Amino acid sequence: MTRVRSTAIDRRRKAWLAETRPADQLLILTLRRWLDGPDGQEAVWNGLAREIGAVPARRLLKTFECFLIALSRGVRRTLTRHAACCPCVGADELLLADMVRAAGRGDHETAGARAAEVVRVADRAIVLERAEKLGLLLDDMGLDPVSGVEARARLH
């Protein structure tokens, strides 16, 4: 039996947003705000368009939405998330960030293991395909790390 080691923060201790990789921060913050509804989605769009430009922001959000649609159709349990302004990171948020990062880097074993925790078998292939596209796009952005204060305020 192969044991898959987490590429993110040790999940046995409390995780902080400021300790995560920049691409993970962006993914987690975007997820939190997006799921807040129309006002959160507008804040995400405005923040991304201001930070990276309208064309890259549109591409990123389209890819993000495709990932979320696939995930929402295939999820086998309710996923939890923290509030947009929360400085800590939940286990499901870390799990999704791990999955997207691993898929984007071609680490199919880790991405598949993360997906197995939350996605039905029949839906894993499409979720992983969309996670790979999102992970590649996030990696290509070359994001800089942000402080805890900036991480909480980035997309507000």
Side-chain angles (χ1 to χ4, degrees), residues 8-150:
I9 296 170
D10 183 351
R11 290 195 238 182
R12 291 171 290 186
R13 68 175 181 87
K14 190 167 188 105
W16 300 99
L17 191 59
E19 295 175 344
T20 61
R21 294 167 178 86
D24 294 351
Q25 291 171 357
L26 180 61
L27 176 66
I28 291 166
L29 288 169
T30 300
L31 179 69
R32 288 176 178 183
R33 295 295 290 168
W34 197 261
L35 296 176
D36 281 345
D39 290 340
Q41 292 166 12
E42 183 179 348
V44 167
W45 164 252
N46 290 335
L48 287 173
R50 184 176 51 252
E51 285 187 39
I52 65 174
V55 173
R58 193 171 294 113
R59 182 173 177 217
L60 178 60
L61 287 179
K62 174 80 172 149
T63 306
F64 175 75
E65 281 184 304
C66 288
F67 169 70
L68 273 188
I69 289 167
L71 182 64
S72 68
R73 289 180 181 158
V75 74
R76 62 182 173 90
R77 66 173 173 83
T78 302
L79 300 177
T80 59
R81 68 182 173 97
H82 288 230
C85 61
C86 187
C88 54
V89 181
D92 286 340
E93 293 170 327
L94 280 177
L95 185 137
L96 292 176
D98 269 358
M99 180 175 60
V100 168
R101 182 181 347 92
R105 294 185 176 168
D107 182 354
H108 302 293
E109 184 178 358
T110 300
R114 299 297 177 265
E117 294 184 46
V118 293
V119 179
R120 289 186 297 266
V121 173
D123 299 299
R124 274 189 212 140
I126 189 69
V127 170
L128 289 171
E129 175 189 315
R130 304 266 172 91
E132 181 178 7
K133 289 179 182 177
L134 182 57
L136 285 168
L137 196 54
L138 288 168
D139 272 350
D140 287 346
M141 292 179 68
L143 300 166
D144 294 323
V146 295
S147 70
V149 172
E150 288 174 303

